[in-house]
Amino acid sequence: LDTDGNQIEAHGGNILKIGSVYHWYGSTKKELEYKGKSCIFECSLGINLYTSTDLTTWKFTAMVFNHTQIQVPQAGLPGGNPPVLPFRIERPKVIYNAATKMYVLAFHCEDAPYKVGLRGVAVSSTPTGPFEWSHAENPNGLFSMDMTEFVDPNDPSGQAYHIRTARHNPAKWKGSNTQWTVGSKLSKDYLSVEPGAVCFNASTSAEGQAMLYHDGAYYLFASHLSGLDPNPARMLRCKAKMLSDCCAPPLGASRAPG
């Protein structure tokens, strides 16, 4: 419970420490009726922020982003089909861009039947928001789902990465449903992904990703693909000076990513 005695609603999120204060961002999860349609599988319609100085006592600050802010042109969706509302907000992550002095919120942006696979982006000049909608994209043209964002602590340029479960966009890749773990460099402002190298392209799929750096190596923790059924955790490891050293050739290159 939070300090007001209410159940904490901050699913699939992350904790960002700023000074002595921990900021916990996460999705709401509710079953409800939306415009006459029943959302029976945990509608995630906003992002809540809770703050703490001890990781034990959490104060509700605000809903810093609402699904009603999402605007996605129909032409930008796989197959050119209109989204089936409500939009879902899942796996929200907030990272800070030291160059632009902006907090960048990214999340798995989906419509109700999970048919769009977008990276939604919003920005704020303060960690407490509100975050303003920017745009959504299929990163590198791929249908993308579970995700995390990671700023490389060893890269002097402040390079950040978008790491997610991806599969070929059905509208562009002839219906292939093969899924794998993909990491792409973010643009300097962290708003979009760059074309080019793909990192941690595992031979087997994983989701629910979390990355850390420790003692000369990068570790990516994830779950096997089994929906809501339990499964063992999975770990990918790369020993390198910077995460960019772990990158494989771009998709479609002659050498298969390792």
Side-chain angles (χ1 to χ4, degrees):
L1 306 180
D2 64 17
T3 55
D4 294 323
N6 297 315
Q7 178 178 318
I8 292 176
E9 293 284 343
H11 303 276
N14 75 310
I15 295 175
L16 186 65
K17 187 180 182 183
I18 304 170
S20 61
V21 179
Y22 298 93
H23 295 69
W24 181 3
Y25 304 88
S27 297
T28 63
K29 289 285 189 181
K30 301 292 184 184
E31 292 186 6
L32 47 77
E33 291 286 329
Y34 182 80
K35 294 185 178 181
K37 296 182 179 180
S38 177
C39 181
I40 60 174
F41 182 72
E42 299 178 332
C43 286
S44 45
L45 305 181
I47 297 173
N48 290 333
L49 169 62
Y50 297 82
T51 55
S52 174
T53 57
D54 60 8
L55 294 175
T56 300
T57 305
W58 293 94
K59 177 180 175 57
F60 175 72
T61 300
M63 178 183 282
V64 296
F65 185 80
N66 193 296
H67 77 119
T68 57
Q69 297 175 246
I70 299 172
Q71 301 292 327
V72 178
Q74 178 176 337
L77 296 177
N81 298 315
V84 179
L85 299 181
F87 276 109
R88 300 175 185 270
I89 295 172
E90 300 187 350
R91 312 285 180 174
K93 303 292 182 285
V94 176
I95 55 178
Y96 178 67
N97 189 305
T100 62
K101 297 182 173 18
M102 298 294 287
Y103 292 87
V104 179
L105 163 68
F107 57 92
H108 174 201
C109 179
E110 271 296 350
D111 70 348
Y114 287 88
K115 295 294 184 181
V116 297
L118 300 167
R119 175 183 182 256
V121 182
V123 295
S124 174
S125 60
T126 68
T128 55
F131 285 80
E132 299 296 329
W133 175 250
S134 173
H135 68 285
E137 63 180 354
N138 290 119
N140 301 124
L142 300 174
F143 187 100
S144 299
M145 294 158 287
D146 278 12
M147 51 146 285
T148 191
E149 308 268 299
F150 180 75
V151 180
D152 189 347
N154 301 313
D155 194 319
S157 69
Q159 182 66 58
Y161 295 80
H162 174 62
I163 301 166
R164 75 279 190 191
T165 304
R167 64 180 172 88
H168 286 146
N169 182 327
K172 298 180 179 180
W173 296 89
K174 299 180 181 179
S176 172
N177 195 39
T178 302
Q179 300 186 34
W180 65 98
T181 300
V182 179
S184 298
K185 289 183 177 180
L186 292 177
S187 57
K188 291 183 178 180
D189 58 12
Y190 298 173
L191 299 184
S192 299
V193 299
E194 292 185 354
V198 175
C199 303
F200 291 100
N201 191 348
S203 59
T204 50
S205 302
E207 62 183 1
Q209 303 87 350
M211 173 166 276
L212 63 85
Y213 172 82
H214 175 70
D215 195 23
Y218 294 88
Y219 296 86
L220 181 65
F221 296 87
S223 163
H224 287 256
L225 290 171
S226 64
L228 298 180
D229 293 329
N231 61 61
R234 167 166 291 169
M235 183 184 75
L236 305 177
R237 177 178 180 269
C238 178
K239 189 174 183 179
K241 293 182 179 179
M242 292 193 301
L243 185 56
S244 58
D245 297 330
C246 301
C247 293
L251 292 175
S254 58
R255 183 172 71 86

